[in-house]
Amino acid sequence: MAEFTVSLSTQSANPSWGDNAKLSFTESGAVIHLPDDSANERTIQQAARKLDGLSLPGVTLAGEWSKEQQWAFALSFTRARKPASITWANSTDKATLEQEYAALLFTRQLVNDTPEDLSPETLAQRAADWLKSLGKDNVNYTMTVGEELKNEGWVGIYNVGRGSERPPAMLVLDYNPTGNADAPIDAVLVGKGITFDSGGYSIKSSEGMLDMKCDMGGAATVTGALGLAITQGIEKRIQLILCCAENLISGHAYKLGDVLTYKNGVTVEVVNTDAEGRLVLADGLMAATDTGAPLIIDAATLTGAAMVALGSDYHAVFSMDDNAKEQMLNAAKAENERFWALPLEPFHADRCPSAFADTANSRPMKGGGGGGASNAAGFLSRFVKPEGWIHLDLAAAYHGGATAEMPVGATAKGIRTIARMLHDFNA
């Protein structure tokens, strides 16, 4: 079968293709016609979506393409089901693109898999197996499962996951390329791994539940980022903590009005079982803090409030460390990924009051009320040191429906930025 080539042109398409057509076809493939302005990448993405709709088995990028133009094409061309292959343009960026694309494919596949196929233990194991395949002997991990979580005091992950027949799990993975078992840990990544979120007794609507296989998008994103950093040859010691559970309803599920006592002594009243992500992340953040690492990044599809604020185009960034926040935003800019800072101050920790505990896990109103994303970040701040901590609310991690620029499903946006942050962070 002859290869289908895709090339770029700054020339207008023949009028026979329509007024101001951005895509035309030749005997061997297609030509994307670029406007002479900053909308080039958007034009490429829209053309890629149209080409992806042809169900091509693969394409070859021909002629002159910049790295970011190729990446924009890949983001939009790679459909969720049976994605086509891409042969990169011959350029110095080819090896880098192959590394990044492998991480993108792993991340998207993990998020797009059905909740039946991805139990909490399976999520943790697949993440560990992939990273082990990349890091070899530099990767070691432990997994705490089911009742062991309760016995070890990880009350957030345990309680959120105990309503399911498939037990919750906490993965702690160590990537240590230094050869020194006593080397300090340079950074910790913490991911929310809710493999399916029914909302618990604060049950979601059917349409609100449909896409909740994506609620482990934070775990997938930080795993993809660490895998990318490993293939890029990072020499720092990095730990990965995944907080994995299914939030389901049963006679053994946690309930509204329950009070959880965390390892650090903070008591939490459950006023919304659908605000479960912050409950599991609290355990991960405490474990991360115990390492003494100067950089802690947690990532989660945490709140609808972040999507209300930013839509599905940006990831929200929260930090009380201005240096760390600035470095994260600079990393995003360097990687051409959209991150946007939202407010987080010490008072946000008190924005979910409780008469029965130190704090509630939300506010008893739809979406947690005004400023819900900041209030969720404030809750998390009770379980981590503020210096060097960044919380990412991944509003752009998943699309419930295809758009003119993006396919339906997982995006894997953010993996390049987090990987760069791991390389470049300076406390």
CSV table of all heavy atoms in Angstrom, one decimal, residues 329-368:
chain,number,residue,atom,x,y,z
A,329,LEU,N,4.9,27.3,35.4
A,329,LEU,CA,4.3,28.0,34.3
A,329,LEU,C,5.3,28.2,33.2
A,329,LEU,O,4.9,28.2,32.0
A,329,LEU,CB,3.7,29.3,34.8
A,329,LEU,CG,2.5,29.2,35.7
A,329,LEU,CD1,2.2,30.6,36.3
A,329,LEU,CD2,1.3,28.6,35.0
A,330,ASN,N,6.5,28.5,33.5
A,330,ASN,CA,7.6,28.6,32.5
A,330,ASN,C,7.8,27.3,31.8
A,330,ASN,O,8.1,27.3,30.5
A,330,ASN,CB,8.9,29.1,33.2
A,330,ASN,CG,8.8,30.6,33.6
A,330,ASN,OD1,8.0,31.3,33.1
A,330,ASN,ND2,9.7,31.0,34.5
A,331,ALA,N,7.8,26.2,32.5
A,331,ALA,CA,7.9,24.9,31.8
A,331,ALA,C,6.8,24.7,30.8
A,331,ALA,O,7.0,24.2,29.7
A,331,ALA,CB,8.0,23.8,32.9
A,332,ALA,N,5.6,25.0,31.2
A,332,ALA,CA,4.4,24.9,30.3
A,332,ALA,C,4.6,25.7,29.1
A,332,ALA,O,4.3,25.3,28.0
A,332,ALA,CB,3.2,25.2,31.1
A,333,LYS,N,5.1,26.9,29.3
A,333,LYS,CA,5.3,27.8,28.1
A,333,LYS,C,6.3,27.3,27.2
A,333,LYS,O,6.2,27.3,26.0
A,333,LYS,CB,5.7,29.2,28.6
A,333,LYS,CG,5.7,30.3,27.5
A,333,LYS,CD,6.0,31.7,28.1
A,333,LYS,CE,6.0,32.7,27.0
A,333,LYS,NZ,6.2,34.1,27.6
A,334,ALA,N,7.4,26.7,27.8
A,334,ALA,CA,8.5,26.2,27.0
A,334,ALA,C,8.0,25.0,26.2
A,334,ALA,O,8.5,24.7,25.1
A,334,ALA,CB,9.7,25.8,27.8
A,335,GLU,N,7.0,24.2,26.7
A,335,GLU,CA,6.5,23.0,26.1
A,335,GLU,C,5.3,23.3,25.3
A,335,GLU,O,4.7,22.4,24.7
A,335,GLU,CB,6.3,21.9,27.1
A,335,GLU,CG,7.5,21.4,27.7
A,335,GLU,CD,8.4,20.7,26.7
A,335,GLU,OE1,7.9,20.2,25.7
A,335,GLU,OE2,9.7,20.6,27.0
A,336,ASN,N,4.9,24.5,25.2
A,336,ASN,CA,3.7,24.9,24.4
A,336,ASN,C,2.4,24.2,24.9
A,336,ASN,O,1.6,23.8,24.1
A,336,ASN,CB,3.9,24.6,22.9
A,336,ASN,CG,3.0,25.4,22.0
A,336,ASN,OD1,2.6,26.5,22.4
A,336,ASN,ND2,2.7,24.9,20.9
A,337,GLU,N,2.3,24.0,26.2
A,337,GLU,CA,1.1,23.5,26.8
A,337,GLU,C,0.5,24.5,27.7
A,337,GLU,O,1.1,25.4,28.3
A,337,GLU,CB,1.5,22.2,27.7
A,337,GLU,CG,2.0,21.1,26.8
A,337,GLU,CD,2.1,19.8,27.6
A,337,GLU,OE1,2.7,19.8,28.7
A,337,GLU,OE2,1.7,18.7,27.1
A,338,ARG,N,-0.9,24.5,27.7
A,338,ARG,CA,-1.6,25.5,28.4
A,338,ARG,C,-1.9,25.2,29.9
A,338,ARG,O,-2.6,24.3,30.2
A,338,ARG,CB,-3.0,25.8,27.7
A,338,ARG,CG,-2.8,26.3,26.3
A,338,ARG,CD,-4.2,26.6,25.7
A,338,ARG,NE,-4.1,27.2,24.3
A,338,ARG,CZ,-4.2,26.6,23.2
A,338,ARG,NH1,-4.5,25.3,23.2
A,338,ARG,NH2,-4.1,27.2,22.0
A,339,PHE,N,-1.2,26.0,30.7
A,339,PHE,CA,-1.4,25.9,32.2
A,339,PHE,C,-1.8,27.3,32.6
A,339,PHE,O,-1.2,28.3,32.1
A,339,PHE,CB,-0.1,25.5,32.9
A,339,PHE,CG,0.2,24.0,32.8
A,339,PHE,CD1,0.2,23.3,31.6
A,339,PHE,CD2,0.5,23.3,34.0
A,339,PHE,CE1,0.5,21.9,31.6
A,339,PHE,CE2,0.8,21.9,33.9
A,339,PHE,CZ,0.8,21.3,32.7
A,340,TRP,N,-2.6,27.4,33.7
A,340,TRP,CA,-3.0,28.7,34.1
A,340,TRP,C,-3.1,28.7,35.6
A,340,TRP,O,-3.7,27.8,36.2
A,340,TRP,CB,-4.4,29.1,33.5
A,340,TRP,CG,-4.7,30.6,33.6
A,340,TRP,CD1,-5.4,31.2,34.6
A,340,TRP,CD2,-4.3,31.6,32.7
A,340,TRP,NE1,-5.5,32.5,34.4
A,340,TRP,CE2,-4.8,32.8,33.2
A,340,TRP,CE3,-3.6,31.6,31.5
A,340,TRP,CZ2,-4.6,34.0,32.6
A,340,TRP,CZ3,-3.3,32.8,30.9
A,340,TRP,CH2,-3.9,34.0,31.4
A,341,ALA,N,-2.6,29.7,36.3
A,341,ALA,CA,-2.6,29.8,37.7
A,341,ALA,C,-3.9,30.3,38.3
A,341,ALA,O,-4.5,31.3,37.8
A,341,ALA,CB,-1.5,30.7,38.2
A,342,LEU,N,-4.5,29.6,39.3
A,342,LEU,CA,-5.7,30.0,40.0
A,342,LEU,C,-5.3,30.2,41.5
A,342,LEU,O,-4.3,29.8,41.9
A,342,LEU,CB,-6.8,28.9,39.9
A,342,LEU,CG,-7.4,28.8,38.5
A,342,LEU,CD1,-8.5,27.7,38.5
A,342,LEU,CD2,-8.0,30.1,38.0
A,343,PRO,N,-6.1,31.0,42.2
A,343,PRO,CA,-5.7,31.4,43.5
A,343,PRO,C,-5.6,30.3,44.5
A,343,PRO,O,-6.4,29.4,44.6
A,343,PRO,CB,-6.9,32.4,43.9
A,343,PRO,CG,-7.6,32.7,42.7
A,343,PRO,CD,-7.4,31.6,41.8
A,344,LEU,N,-4.6,30.4,45.4
A,344,LEU,CA,-4.5,29.5,46.6
A,344,LEU,C,-3.7,30.3,47.6
A,344,LEU,O,-2.6,30.7,47.4
A,344,LEU,CB,-3.7,28.2,46.2
A,344,LEU,CG,-3.5,27.3,47.5
A,344,LEU,CD1,-4.8,26.9,48.1
A,344,LEU,CD2,-2.6,26.1,47.1
A,345,GLU,N,-4.4,30.5,48.8
A,345,GLU,CA,-3.8,31.2,49.9
A,345,GLU,C,-4.1,30.4,51.2
A,345,GLU,O,-5.0,29.5,51.1
A,345,GLU,CB,-4.4,32.6,50.0
A,345,GLU,CG,-4.0,33.5,48.8
A,345,GLU,CD,-4.3,35.0,49.1
A,345,GLU,OE1,-3.9,35.5,50.2
A,345,GLU,OE2,-5.0,35.6,48.2
A,346,PRO,N,-3.4,30.7,52.2
A,346,PRO,CA,-3.6,29.9,53.5
A,346,PRO,C,-5.0,29.8,53.9
A,346,PRO,O,-5.5,28.8,54.5
A,346,PRO,CB,-2.7,30.6,54.5
A,346,PRO,CG,-1.6,31.1,53.7
A,346,PRO,CD,-2.2,31.6,52.4
A,347,PHE,N,-5.8,30.9,53.7
A,347,PHE,CA,-7.2,30.9,54.2
A,347,PHE,C,-8.1,29.9,53.5
A,347,PHE,O,-9.1,29.5,54.0
A,347,PHE,CB,-7.8,32.3,54.2
A,347,PHE,CG,-8.0,32.9,52.8
A,347,PHE,CD1,-9.1,32.4,52.0
A,347,PHE,CD2,-7.2,33.8,52.3
A,347,PHE,CE1,-9.2,33.0,50.7
A,347,PHE,CE2,-7.3,34.4,51.0
A,347,PHE,CZ,-8.4,33.9,50.2
A,348,HIS,N,-7.6,29.5,52.3
A,348,HIS,CA,-8.4,28.5,51.6
A,348,HIS,C,-8.6,27.1,52.4
A,348,HIS,O,-9.5,26.4,52.1
A,348,HIS,CB,-7.9,28.2,50.2
A,348,HIS,CG,-8.2,29.3,49.2
A,348,HIS,ND1,-7.3,30.2,48.7
A,348,HIS,CD2,-9.4,29.7,48.7
A,348,HIS,CE1,-7.9,31.1,47.9
A,348,HIS,NE2,-9.1,30.8,47.8
A,349,ALA,N,-7.6,26.9,53.2
A,349,ALA,CA,-7.7,25.7,54.0
A,349,ALA,C,-8.9,25.6,55.0
A,349,ALA,O,-9.3,24.6,55.4
A,349,ALA,CB,-6.4,25.5,54.8
A,350,ASP,N,-9.4,26.8,55.2
A,350,ASP,CA,-10.6,26.9,56.2
A,350,ASP,C,-11.9,27.1,55.5
A,350,ASP,O,-12.9,27.4,56.1
A,350,ASP,CB,-10.3,28.1,57.2
A,350,ASP,CG,-9.0,27.8,58.0
A,350,ASP,OD1,-8.8,26.7,58.4
A,350,ASP,OD2,-8.3,28.8,58.1
A,351,ARG,N,-11.9,27.0,54.2
A,351,ARG,CA,-13.1,27.3,53.4
A,351,ARG,C,-14.1,26.1,53.4
A,351,ARG,O,-15.2,26.2,52.7
A,351,ARG,CB,-12.8,27.7,52.0
A,351,ARG,CG,-12.2,29.1,51.9
A,351,ARG,CD,-13.3,30.1,52.3
A,351,ARG,NE,-12.9,31.5,52.4
A,351,ARG,CZ,-12.8,32.4,51.3
A,351,ARG,NH1,-13.0,31.9,50.1
A,351,ARG,NH2,-12.4,33.6,51.5
A,352,CYS,N,-13.8,25.0,54.0
A,352,CYS,CA,-14.7,23.9,54.1
A,352,CYS,C,-14.9,23.5,55.6
A,352,CYS,O,-14.4,22.5,56.1
A,352,CYS,CB,-14.2,22.7,53.3
A,352,CYS,SG,-14.1,22.9,51.6
A,353,PRO,N,-15.6,24.4,56.4
A,353,PRO,CA,-15.7,24.2,57.8
A,353,PRO,C,-16.6,23.0,58.2
A,353,PRO,O,-17.5,22.6,57.4
A,353,PRO,CB,-16.3,25.5,58.3
A,353,PRO,CG,-17.1,26.0,57.1
A,353,PRO,CD,-16.3,25.6,55.9
A,354,SER,N,-16.3,22.5,59.4
A,354,SER,CA,-17.1,21.4,59.9
A,354,SER,C,-17.3,21.6,61.4
A,354,SER,O,-16.4,22.0,62.1
A,354,SER,CB,-16.5,20.0,59.7
A,354,SER,OG,-17.1,19.0,60.4
A,355,ALA,N,-18.5,21.3,61.9
A,355,ALA,CA,-18.8,21.4,63.4
A,355,ALA,C,-18.3,20.1,64.1
A,355,ALA,O,-18.3,20.0,65.3
A,355,ALA,CB,-20.3,21.6,63.6
A,356,PHE,N,-18.0,19.1,63.3
A,356,PHE,CA,-17.7,17.8,63.9
A,356,PHE,C,-16.2,17.3,63.7
A,356,PHE,O,-15.8,16.3,64.2
A,356,PHE,CB,-18.6,16.7,63.3
A,356,PHE,CG,-20.1,17.0,63.5
A,356,PHE,CD1,-20.8,17.6,62.5
A,356,PHE,CD2,-20.7,16.7,64.7
A,356,PHE,CE1,-22.1,17.9,62.7
A,356,PHE,CE2,-22.0,16.9,64.9
A,356,PHE,CZ,-22.8,17.6,63.9
A,357,ALA,N,-15.4,18.1,62.9
A,357,ALA,CA,-14.1,17.7,62.6
A,357,ALA,C,-13.3,19.0,62.3
A,357,ALA,O,-13.8,20.1,62.3
A,357,ALA,CB,-14.0,16.8,61.4
A,358,ASP,N,-12.0,18.8,62.1
A,358,ASP,CA,-11.1,20.0,61.8
A,358,ASP,C,-11.5,20.6,60.5
A,358,ASP,O,-11.4,21.9,60.3
A,358,ASP,CB,-9.7,19.5,61.7
A,358,ASP,CG,-9.1,19.0,63.0
A,358,ASP,OD1,-9.5,19.5,64.1
A,358,ASP,OD2,-8.3,18.0,62.9
A,359,THR,N,-12.0,19.9,59.6
A,359,THR,CA,-12.5,20.4,58.3
A,359,THR,C,-13.5,19.4,57.7
A,359,THR,O,-13.5,18.2,58.0
A,359,THR,CB,-11.3,20.6,57.3
A,359,THR,OG1,-11.8,21.2,56.1
A,359,THR,CG2,-10.6,19.3,57.0
A,360,ALA,N,-14.3,19.8,56.7
A,360,ALA,CA,-15.0,18.9,55.9
A,360,ALA,C,-14.3,18.7,54.6
A,360,ALA,O,-13.3,19.4,54.3
A,360,ALA,CB,-16.4,19.5,55.6
A,361,ASN,N,-14.7,17.7,53.8
A,361,ASN,CA,-14.0,17.5,52.6
A,361,ASN,C,-14.5,18.3,51.4
A,361,ASN,O,-14.0,18.3,50.3
A,361,ASN,CB,-14.0,16.0,52.2
A,361,ASN,CG,-15.4,15.5,51.7
A,361,ASN,OD1,-16.4,15.9,52.3
A,361,ASN,ND2,-15.5,14.6,50.8
A,362,SER,N,-15.6,19.1,51.7
A,362,SER,CA,-16.1,20.0,50.7
A,362,SER,C,-17.1,20.9,51.4
A,362,SER,O,-17.1,21.0,52.7
A,362,SER,CB,-16.8,19.3,49.5
A,362,SER,OG,-17.2,20.2,48.5
A,363,ARG,N,-17.9,21.6,50.7
A,363,ARG,CA,-19.1,22.3,51.2
A,363,ARG,C,-20.3,21.7,50.7
A,363,ARG,O,-20.4,21.3,49.6
A,363,ARG,CB,-19.0,23.8,50.8
A,363,ARG,CG,-17.7,24.5,51.3
A,363,ARG,CD,-17.6,25.9,50.8
A,363,ARG,NE,-18.5,26.8,51.5
A,363,ARG,CZ,-18.6,28.1,51.3
A,363,ARG,NH1,-17.9,28.6,50.3
A,363,ARG,NH2,-19.4,28.8,52.0
A,364,PRO,N,-21.4,21.6,51.6
A,364,PRO,CA,-22.6,20.8,51.2
A,364,PRO,C,-23.5,21.6,50.3
A,364,PRO,O,-24.6,22.0,50.6
A,364,PRO,CB,-23.3,20.6,52.6
A,364,PRO,CG,-22.8,21.7,53.4
A,364,PRO,CD,-21.4,22.0,53.0
A,365,MET,N,-22.9,21.8,49.1
A,365,MET,CA,-23.7,22.5,48.0
A,365,MET,C,-23.1,22.1,46.7
A,365,MET,O,-22.0,21.5,46.6
A,365,MET,CB,-23.6,24.1,48.2
A,365,MET,CG,-22.2,24.6,48.2
A,365,MET,SD,-22.1,26.4,48.5
A,365,MET,CE,-22.5,26.4,50.3
A,366,LYS,N,-23.9,22.3,45.6
A,366,LYS,CA,-23.5,21.8,44.3
A,366,LYS,C,-22.1,22.3,43.9
A,366,LYS,O,-21.8,23.5,43.9
A,366,LYS,CB,-24.5,22.3,43.2
A,366,LYS,CG,-24.2,21.7,41.8
A,366,LYS,CD,-25.3,22.1,40.9
A,366,LYS,CE,-25.0,21.6,39.5
A,366,LYS,NZ,-24.8,20.2,39.4
A,367,GLY,N,-21.2,21.4,43.5
A,367,GLY,CA,-19.9,21.8,43.1
A,367,GLY,C,-19.0,22.4,44.2
A,367,GLY,O,-17.9,22.9,43.9
A,368,GLY,N,-19.5,22.3,45.4
A,368,GLY,CA,-18.7,22.8,46.5
A,368,GLY,C,-18.8,24.3,46.7
A,368,GLY,O,-18.0,24.9,47.5
